[in-house]
Amino acid sequence: EVYYCFDQTLDRNAALKIPKSGVKDRRFRRGAEMGARVNHPNIAATLDYYEDDALTFLVEEFIPGLDLGQRLANEFYFLDPYLSAHVAHHIAKALHEAHGVGICHRDLKPSNIMTSADPSMEIIKLTDFGIAKLAESEIAAEMELFAEDESTLVTSNTLLGAVPYMAPECWDDWKSAGMPMDIWALGSVIYHLLNGAPPFGTGRSAIMNVAKYQAGTFKVSKPSWFGKYPDTRDLEDNLWEIITGCLAVDPAERPTAKELMGRFNSLTY
């Protein structure tokens, strides 16, 4: 649960997060410790953590604006290649920083990416590194329930939101999936930005399409408007190469966050 708060000592707004129903959970503390290890302009900062017998909470930087999921749902059909490259580059910077200190986000999706409210999205920050372990545990438990009862997918906001951006190895063995799953998720998010919808759809259809993609019977098509505008054609081609690299079925064939940074640094947008 997330609360909008005011820090009276330091005279600033903050986001205060507590485990659902106030449950004391060691993973929550571990998540706060992980979040505190990452300090980067493209990552929401973990500011403080408190725990006693009655109360547990995490204090995180408050970011004015809207999450990318809200922007895509309410303000844009899709983004042009220049704005898409800008957004994706900053997310790649965040992943590079996190992966550099051994932290995998594990729940990268538009709703976990905060943007400033301006049309150019000048500020981009990846959130919820601080509760990555909690999300990991919850998703893993719900995937087990889904295996027994597929209606779980409809009733679980956590799992339902994650599914369109989940790498195929997550379904094979969630616990062993690592940093390459973040790279797959980033590729899926970039595609969503450019196409207005995730590459494999949503809900059960996304799971089926990823399985078909693994088997070579499903192809991710370029957005229909690609190639229509000469001024953006080169950037479109560069972004498509990045997307297809991120969506390699074999995790070992995906670029690392460091390699992605190099690719984005060379783009002209």
Side-chain angles (χ1 to χ4, degrees), residues 13 28 30 52 84 89 108 111 114 119 126 148 152 212 221:
N13 296 318
F28 197 69
R30 175 64 179 149
D52 64 22
S84 296
H89 192 175
L108 178 58
S111 61
M114 289 298 298
L126 190 52
E148 301 171 6
T152 301
K212 292 176 183 176
S221 301

Side-chain angles (χ1 to χ4, degrees), residues 196-258:
F200 301 98
T202 58
R204 291 189 186 90
S205 63
I207 302 170
M208 295 171 61
N209 288 335
V210 168
K212 292 176 183 176
Y213 185 74
Q214 279 183 288
T217 58
F218 181 92
K219 184 179 179 181
V220 177
S221 301
K222 290 184 179 180
S224 59
W225 56 270
F226 263 35
K228 290 184 177 180
Y229 309 102
D231 288 350
T232 62
R233 195 167 292 154
D234 287 344
L235 184 54
E236 290 166 17
D237 291 342
N238 290 328
L239 288 172
W240 188 248
E241 287 178 11
I242 289 173
I243 290 169
T244 54
C246 291
L247 296 182
V249 171
D250 184 350
E253 293 181 2
R254 295 171 207 154
T256 63
K258 183 177 181 179

Side-chain angles (χ1 to χ4, degrees), residues 48 91 107 111 120 123 219 254:
D48 204 352
I91 302 169
D107 192 21
S111 61
S120 60
I123 298 171
K219 184 179 179 181
R254 295 171 207 154

Side-chain angles (χ1 to χ4, degrees), residues 104-108 136 139-144 146-147 159 162-185 207 210 214 248-249 251 254:
C104 179
H105 190 284
R106 301 183 74 83
D107 192 21
L108 178 58
E136 172 186 343
I139 292 172
E142 289 173 356
M143 286 177 69
E144 291 178 8
F146 175 74
L159 187 56
V163 161
Y165 312 97
M166 283 172 62
E169 65 267 21
C170 297
W171 296 100
D172 298 330
D173 184 357
W174 172 265
K175 292 181 180 178
S176 69
M179 292 177 186
M181 71 184 287
D182 283 348
I183 303 300
W184 171 285
I207 302 170
V210 168
Q214 279 183 288
V249 171
R254 295 171 207 154

Side-chain angles (χ1 to χ4, degrees), residues 56-202:
T56 300
F57 64 83
L58 164 70
V59 183
E60 195 175 79
E61 171 189 10
F62 174 74
I63 304 154
L66 298 166
D67 71 61
L68 189 58
Q70 292 172 308
R71 305 295 294 272
L72 289 170
N74 301 312
E75 297 182 26
F76 301 94
Y77 290 108
F78 54 85
L79 306 189
D80 67 84
Y82 298 103
L83 188 52
S84 296
H86 161 74
V87 172
H89 192 175
H90 285 289
I91 302 169
K93 289 179 182 180
L95 286 183
H96 175 253
E97 183 70 21
H99 288 188
V101 293
I103 294 176
C104 179
H105 190 284
R106 301 183 74 83
D107 192 21
L108 178 58
K109 56 191 177 185
S111 61
N112 280 337
I113 300 164
M114 289 298 298
T115 72
S116 52
D118 57 295
S120 60
M121 301 191 201
E122 183 179 354
I123 298 171
I124 307 287
K125 287 182 183 274
L126 190 52
T127 66
D128 283 348
F129 271 102
I131 57 172
K133 282 291 179 186
L134 208 63
E136 172 186 343
S137 174
E138 187 173 349
I139 292 172
E142 289 173 356
M143 286 177 69
E144 291 178 8
L145 289 173
F146 175 74
E148 301 171 6
D149 180 3
E150 292 192 0
S151 66
T152 301
L153 188 62
V154 179
T155 57
S156 167
N157 288 332
T158 303
L159 187 56
L160 191 63
V163 161
Y165 312 97
M166 283 172 62
E169 65 267 21
C170 297
W171 296 100
D172 298 330
D173 184 357
W174 172 265
K175 292 181 180 178
S176 69
M179 292 177 186
M181 71 184 287
D182 283 348
I183 303 300
W184 171 285
L186 178 56
S188 298
V189 169
I190 300 171
Y191 186 92
H192 191 166
L193 295 176
L194 291 164
N195 190 56
F200 301 98
T202 58

